Amino acid sequence: MVNIAMHGTPEHLTACHECDLLIEQVANQPGEDVICPRCHARLYYTTPNSIERLLALSVAGLILFIPANIFPILSLRVFGQSQSEIILQSAMSLYEGGLALVALLILLFAVVVPLFQLIALFYISSTLHYRWEGRLLRQAMLSYQHLRGWGMLEIFLLGVLISIIKLKDIADLDIGLGLYSLGALIVVITLSSIFFNPHQIWHEIDLHRKQRYADD
Amino acid sequence: MTDHPSPRRTARNSGYLLCIDCEKLHRISQEGQHCDRCGARLHSRIPNSMNLSWASLLAGILLFLPANLLPIMTFKSFGQGEPSTILGGILHLLEQDMLMIGLVVLIASIVVPVLKIIALTILLCTVQFRLQTNLRQKTMMFRVVEWIGRWSMLDIFVIGILVALVQLGNIAHIEGNSGATAFAIVVLLTMFSAIAFDTRLIWDNGMPEADLPPENTDQKDER
Ligand SMILES: [Zn+2]
Ligand SMILES: [Zn+2]
């Protein structure tokens, strides 16, 4: 019964990533979570069609990223003067005002990280779906996993809503196409983080690599 | 090598270590080597976890005061206007009967960072002083804190949006102030502290009997 893998680790064993309890792997039904008996962390679960969903969502996200970043999210009119802004300008204005670090953080959390995560997700899902070579699969997975939590578009959107309420008595505000695109982009990113099942994708990467070795 | 792990055995005391990045199980002798599946460096516990986590947290606590005392932004209209702090901005919202968003900003900018600092202090003390109570609740608290901590960036985004939008020369303009930098660093430091913290350390010292099924319950019977 004991199945010794290449490095002398029995394949039916795993450990809880939150409390280190050694656990015997059991086959789980789709939709059924396997929970750590000691700390109640979710150990593994099955996401049906995970790769296909992630592929579709990452393409949608990359497309939506463009209008969300090139069209104004808000425009403000006071005494005939008007001012509109795109996401990037929040960072630029702060930089010009001397708050370079805050500007850099906004640039990273609201633009760079979400874009990089979408690209990594597209790379991972397309490589696994179309069985491409995928030399950077490991790096793409590690970067996506380590960047989870650092993309903050949904917090940025709440910031926009608060700004609207703060300014609505002082000036006339127009909501731009950028804001609607941003809303849609956040839905897509949230769904993709729900369907991103690391345990399952690493397993697919194992299979992918074995298949490619077999082909050679 | 046991066929059926007992509920009290950890990977570490059974001679294994788990790759934290891809969750593949390795022999503990591979400590410091690279994982053959994901390429990350293998460690049974995050190296220097306690030192890094304490250092980031204490630095965050120190900066929390200037972050709240220094002005974060200034609204100027026709040459008039004074710099405001985080708390000042919240009070201003409450005065203007904007109760809902006043509360949202209060929770994101003050309540969440304070709770996060308290929670991380409790967790670090649990490991430091080998406390053995409510470990499951503490693990749960860590998950919550890790998830809500990032929402403290809300006020930083609001400042960025207002500064970019309200640039109407003499009529009205908003500029950011140094309190915003201090506050952003506080949020960053508490996020670093949570990342450096290894939840497995909570469980290393204590294995409360009450939380576990009795030793003689063989897992074979359950399946
Ligand atoms: Zn556990
Ligand atoms: Zn690994």
Side-chain angles (χ1 to χ4, degrees):
Chain A
M1 276 294 284
V2 184
N3 194 351
I4 308 290
M6 268 195 339
H7 291 274
T9 316
E11 268 185 349
H12 68 296
L13 289 181
T14 186
C16 171
H17 57 278
E18 288 198 35
C19 75
D20 210 35
L21 187 72
L22 198 63
I23 288 151
E24 198 176 349
Q25 288 208 51
V26 286
N28 58 316
Q29 301 297 314
E32 181 193 30
D33 295 353
V34 177
I35 305 287
C36 171
R38 185 160 73 159
C39 76
H40 293 183
R42 186 162 68 156
L43 296 174
Y44 52 93
Y45 54 99
T46 311
T47 310
N49 304 321
S50 159
I51 301 294
E52 286 70 24
R53 287 176 181 179
L54 290 178
L55 181 57
L57 286 167
S58 59
V59 171
L62 285 168
I63 294 170
L64 282 168
F65 191 85
I66 300 165
N69 277 279
I70 62 170
F71 292 118
I73 43 175
L74 277 182
S75 309
L76 173 135
R77 280 176 289 117
V78 184
F79 300 127
Q81 283 203 48
S82 89
Q83 176 86 30
S84 59
E85 81 153 320
I86 59 169
I87 299 177
L88 209 57
Q89 271 166 335
S90 309
M92 275 157 41
S93 312
L94 283 173
Y95 179 74
E96 284 158 12
L99 297 183
L101 181 80
V102 185
L104 179 69
L105 292 182
I106 292 184
L107 181 69
L108 287 176
F109 298 161
V111 183
V112 179
V113 171
L115 177 62
F116 193 80
Q117 280 194 296
L118 284 170
I119 294 173
L121 208 55
F122 174 71
Y123 181 81
I124 295 162
S125 52
S126 58
T127 303
L128 290 174
H129 183 75
Y130 296 110
R131 303 183 194 290
W132 289 334
E133 190 175 357
R135 284 173 191 276
L136 297 173
L137 259 182
R138 287 169 156 193
Q139 286 85 342
M141 271 299 278
L142 290 180
S143 2
Y144 183 86
Q145 286 181 296
H146 286 275
L147 287 175
R148 289 184 106 177
W150 294 98
M152 303 189 185
L153 277 179
E154 72 278 29
I155 305 173
F156 185 90
L157 181 69
L158 184 60
V160 174
L161 299 179
I162 288 179
S163 307
I164 292 175
I165 301 172
K166 275 191 169 186
L167 293 173
K168 73 177 185 338
D169 293 338
I170 316 169
D172 291 321
L173 288 166
D174 295 318
I175 290 169
L177 192 56
L179 191 61
Y180 297 112
S181 316
L182 179 65
L185 178 60
I186 290 167
V187 171
V188 166
I189 288 179
T190 308
L191 285 176
S192 68
S193 73
I194 293 171
F195 295 140
F196 183 86
N197 180 336
H199 196 90
Q200 193 174 321
I201 297 176
W202 280 114
H203 184 68
E204 302 247 0
I205 290 176
D206 270 349
L207 295 178
H208 173 85
R209 206 181 299 160
K210 273 183 201 142
Q211 242 164 16
R212 292 209 68 94
Y213 275 129
D215 289 349
D216 288 341
Chain B
M1 193 175 300
T2 47
D3 206 355
H4 294 281
S6 120
R8 286 159 207 234
R9 297 196 64 181
T10 62
R12 182 185 231 176
N13 66 27
S14 313
Y16 300 112
L17 69 81
L18 187 78
C19 173
I20 202 74
D21 285 300
C22 73
E23 299 191 8
K24 182 174 175 170
L25 202 63
H26 295 267
R27 286 247 161 241
I28 203 152
S29 56
Q30 287 178 281
E31 170 84 34
Q33 296 175 20
H34 291 280
C35 173
D36 64 336
R37 177 153 80 173
C38 73
R41 217 175 258 283
L42 295 169
H43 294 290
S44 176
R45 298 290 178 270
I46 298 173
N48 257 325
S49 167
M50 289 298 284
N51 286 338
L52 291 174
S53 194
W54 267 126
S56 313
L57 181 65
L58 293 176
I61 294 173
L62 279 180
L63 263 177
F64 192 68
L65 216 59
N68 279 282
L69 294 177
L70 291 172
I72 51 165
M73 66 174 171
T74 311
F75 175 77
K76 275 191 177 151
S77 182
F78 299 107
Q80 300 227 321
E82 282 182 6
S84 67
T85 58
I86 292 177
L87 205 58
I90 295 167
L91 291 176
H92 185 72
L93 286 171
L94 296 180
E95 273 168 20
Q96 291 188 312
D97 285 332
M98 297 196 225
L99 193 65
M100 272 308 289
I101 65 160
L103 281 179
V104 170
V105 179
L106 177 73
I107 290 170
S109 305
I110 310 240
V111 178
V112 166
V114 169
L115 283 183
K116 187 168 182 182
I117 286 171
I118 293 173
L120 284 168
T121 310
I122 292 173
L123 290 164
L124 285 163
C125 286
T126 300
V127 177
Q128 196 78 54
F129 303 113
R130 299 171 177 274
L131 306 178
Q132 305 199 356
T133 50
N134 303 326
L135 300 186
R136 194 178 279 159
Q137 285 84 339
K138 283 172 182 165
T139 311
M140 178 66 84
M141 182 170 77
F142 179 79
R143 284 176 207 139
V144 173
V145 150
E146 202 187 20
W147 183 79
I148 58 167
R150 45 206 287 282
W151 285 89
S152 303
M153 284 298 289
L154 180 65
D155 233 15
I156 297 293
F157 287 128
V158 172
I159 296 167
I161 294 157
L162 291 180
V163 169
L165 205 52
V166 187
Q167 290 296 342
L168 303 167
N170 194 33
I171 301 172
H173 84 276
I174 293 180
E175 57 191 48
N177 299 119
S178 54
T181 304
F183 187 77
I185 299 175
V186 171
V187 180
L188 269 189
L189 285 169
T190 56
M191 285 180 79
F192 286 142
S193 177
I195 289 175
F197 185 74
D198 193 333
T199 47
R200 294 171 293 190
L201 297 174
I202 304 178
W203 296 87
D204 282 346
N205 298 323
M207 290 213 178
E209 306 295 312
D211 277 7
L212 291 170
E215 181 82 83
N216 57 8
T217 312
D218 202 319
Q219 297 208 331
K220 271 177 283 190
D221 300 338
E222 292 166 20
R223 290 171 194 129

